Structure formats: C-alpha cells, structure tokens
C-alpha cells in the first residue's frame, strides 16, 4: 500500500477533466479512474487490447482489471486472459461511506451524512462465487482495496422515481477520498487471511460468523468457497450444520 502514490492518483483525477465539483462527468466513474491511475500511473499502459477484449491495464505485472461489481461480466475476459498472462482483479470496497444528495442539473449538494454500515473484506465473496470455476487458476490474483468513500446520489425527485422509495435514489458517482488498506491474494496460503482467530478446531458456519463478524448466510458462502479452494474441509455434520476444519492455519 502506497498512500502517497494513491493521493497522487486521486489528485490527478480530481484536477483533470474527469471531475467537476467533485463528481464524475462521463462514463468512467471516479473510483475506477483513480484506481487505474494508482495501479499504473503511465497512461500508455491503460486500455490495451488483448485478443478480442480491452484490459484496464497491461504492464510489467501482467493484466490488471478493476471491477467495482458484477464479476460475472469478467468470465469471458478471464477465459481469454488467463491463458496468456497473470491477471489481477482489483475490487474496491467502501470501508466508511458518506452519503451526499446532489441535484444532477445544478450540482447543488445536500448535507453529508455517514452511513452506519462499514465495509468488510468478506464483501468480495458474493462476487467470487460468480467466477468460482476460475479461482484455482494459478494466473488469477486478487487485490481488495478498502476505501473511505463519498457517495453522491440523486434523490427521487430529480430522477422521476417515486419519493420515499429507497430504490428511488440513484448513485451518481463515488469519490474515493482515502485509501485504508490493501489485501493481496496471490497464492493459496494468502486465503488464510479470511480465517478469523479464535475458532475451535472443528466449527460451524455460526461459529465462523461470530468470530468473523459477518452474518451466517455470508459465512456459509465464505466457507463454501474456502472449502472448494482447499483452505478448509468439511469433516461431518452437527444436526443440520456442516462441520469444518481449517487445513491452512491462520497466523
């Protein structure tokens, strides 16, 4: 993690034509643009055509794809890219998030308020499930980037949607104001990062959820993937719950 390089990338995007009044003004959103400049400052390495696809970055560390959501959209790219190169998928997760309503016509901004929800590195697992068949490929790597983010939203009255409906708010852009952490998954042993401390030798998804600080449904999904990767193994059942044992021990 290089905070100085990150803030240089942030400043480059904010000072460029991409930003006006702190929000993105065209198709490529700000989080994506900042991370692209953070991981590769040289613009000549951006948006390179590889086969029938365009990679976000092609450089000395191989191909880097910045994916803010929808890993299912990566499947065809991965099929092509993994045959020829190391591929790192960068996934940004909002750690702290501040919500700001904005009028898209005037640029007028409302009061900034902090969301009560904190992001977690475990938030990547629903996305990983979408590309589960590729996870064991030795050329595939991940970088989870934890960010403090200001999220600009258009309220329902500016979008024509019904007032009072939560879904009436439309995300306009997100400004990644601070880099908090990076988690790199480059080898099988790196997956042990997701094994929380304090687990018994044999445990259930509920035990895992309590120690990891995530809800049980997500713990089941995490364990499903970790079992498929060979990080944990199923060793039986207790009533209706699977029992797990860690194969690769956490530090």
């Amino acid at each position: 993690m290089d905070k100085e390089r990150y803030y240089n990338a942030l400043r480059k995007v904010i000072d460029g034509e991409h930003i006006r009044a702190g929000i993105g003004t065209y198709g490529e959103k700000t989080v994506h643009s900042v991370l692209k400049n953070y991981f590769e400052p040289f613009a000549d390495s951006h948006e390179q055509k590889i086969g029938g696809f365009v990679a976000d970055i092609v450089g000395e560390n191989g191909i880097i794809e910045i994916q803010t959501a929808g890993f299912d959209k990566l499947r065809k790219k991965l099929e092509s890219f993994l045959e020829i190169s190391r591929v790192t998928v960068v996934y940004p997760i909002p750690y702290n998030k501040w919500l700001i309503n904005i009028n898209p016509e005037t640029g007028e901004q409302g009061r900034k308020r902090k969301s009560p929800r904190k992001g977690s590195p475990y938030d990547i697992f629903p996305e990983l499930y979408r590309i589960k068949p590729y996870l064991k490929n030795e050329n595939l790597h991940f970088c989870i980037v934890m960010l403090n983010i200001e999220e600009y939203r258009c309220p329902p009255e500016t979008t024509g949607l019904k007032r009072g409906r939560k879904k009436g708010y439309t995300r306009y852009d997100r400004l990644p104001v601070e880099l908090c952490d990076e988690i790199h998954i480059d080898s099988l042993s790196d997956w042990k990062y997701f094994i929380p401390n304090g687990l018994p030798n044999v445990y259930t998804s509920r035990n895992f959820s309590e120690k990891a600080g995530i809800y049980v449904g997500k713990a089941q999904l995490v364990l499903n993937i970790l079992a498929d990767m060979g990080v944990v193994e199923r060793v039986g059942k207790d009533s209706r719950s699977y029992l797990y044992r860690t194969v690769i021990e956490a530090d």
Side-chain angles (χ1 to χ4, degrees):
M1 184 170 71
D2 187 333
K3 287 199 171 187
E4 182 179 358
R5 190 172 81 241
Y6 179 81
Y7 289 122
N8 287 339
L10 179 61
R11 181 55 55 190
K12 178 180 178 181
V13 173
I14 290 175
D15 288 346
E17 294 182 357
H18 179 71
I19 295 290
R20 183 180 67 227
I23 56 175
T25 56
Y26 65 88
E28 184 180 58
K29 294 299 185 178
T30 307
V31 171
H32 187 278
S33 185
V34 170
L35 290 177
K36 188 166 66 174
N37 282 279
Y38 170 58
F39 283 96
E40 178 51 76
F42 301 104
D44 289 348
S45 297
H46 296 173
E47 307 301 323
Q48 295 294 307
K49 190 171 183 181
I50 303 291
F53 302 94
V54 176
D56 286 329
I57 298 168
V58 179
E60 60 181 14
N61 294 317
I63 295 170
I64 299 176
E65 281 292 309
I66 298 154
Q67 195 74 12
T68 57
F71 277 22
D72 52 313
K73 299 172 185 176
L74 283 175
R75 290 174 188 161
K76 290 185 178 180
K77 277 190 173 184
L78 290 176
E79 286 180 10
S80 176
F81 291 167
L82 289 171
E83 291 183 358
I84 59 173
S85 174
R86 170 191 172 103
V87 178
T88 300
V89 177
V90 175
Y91 184 62
I93 294 175
Y95 179 56
N96 290 300
K97 182 166 67 175
W98 288 266
L99 305 175
I100 304 167
N101 290 348
I102 186 169
N103 187 312
E105 299 295 328
T106 66
E108 182 181 358
Q109 298 179 13
R111 179 177 61 87
K112 181 165 72 172
R113 63 182 182 86
K114 189 175 182 180
S115 169
R117 185 184 183 279
K118 280 184 177 282
S120 161
Y122 290 104
D123 291 344
I124 194 175
F125 277 85
E127 295 293 347
L128 292 177
Y129 192 80
R130 298 169 185 243
I131 56 168
K132 190 177 177 183
Y134 304 95
L135 295 181
K136 292 182 180 179
N137 191 303
E138 293 182 354
N139 272 341
L140 183 59
H141 307 263
F142 296 94
C143 178
I144 302 168
V145 183
M146 305 299 296
L147 300 167
N148 284 341
I149 281 178
E150 293 178 352
E151 181 174 302
Y152 294 85
R153 311 186 308 166
C154 301
E157 57 267 27
T158 67
T159 61
L161 297 175
K162 282 187 177 181
R163 192 182 188 93
R165 288 174 55 200
K166 186 176 180 182
K167 291 184 179 179
Y169 284 90
T170 304
R171 180 192 295 168
Y172 192 74
D173 201 358
R174 298 185 298 174
L175 185 65
V177 294
E178 183 179 4
L179 173 65
C180 301
D181 197 8
E182 288 179 29
I183 298 100
H184 293 266
I185 308 298
D186 294 317
S187 65
L188 182 61
S189 63
D190 290 334
W191 290 92
K192 66 185 179 182
Y193 173 89
F194 297 103
I195 303 296
N197 293 324
L199 286 172
N201 290 333
V202 175
Y203 49 88
T204 65
S205 57
R206 184 168 296 279
N207 300 141
F208 192 98
S209 73
E210 291 170 353
K211 297 299 182 181
I214 57 178
Y215 61 85
V216 174
K218 182 171 285 187
Q220 291 170 341
L221 178 61
V222 171
L223 287 167
N224 176 287
I225 291 174
L226 293 182
D228 194 61
M229 295 296 295
V231 179
V232 305
E233 63 178 358
R234 287 177 178 169
V235 294
K237 291 190 76 172
D238 178 16
S239 184
R240 292 183 297 175
S241 298
Y242 285 111
L243 296 174
Y244 295 89
R245 182 177 68 85
T246 302
V247 179
I248 298 178
E249 293 295 336
D251 291 331

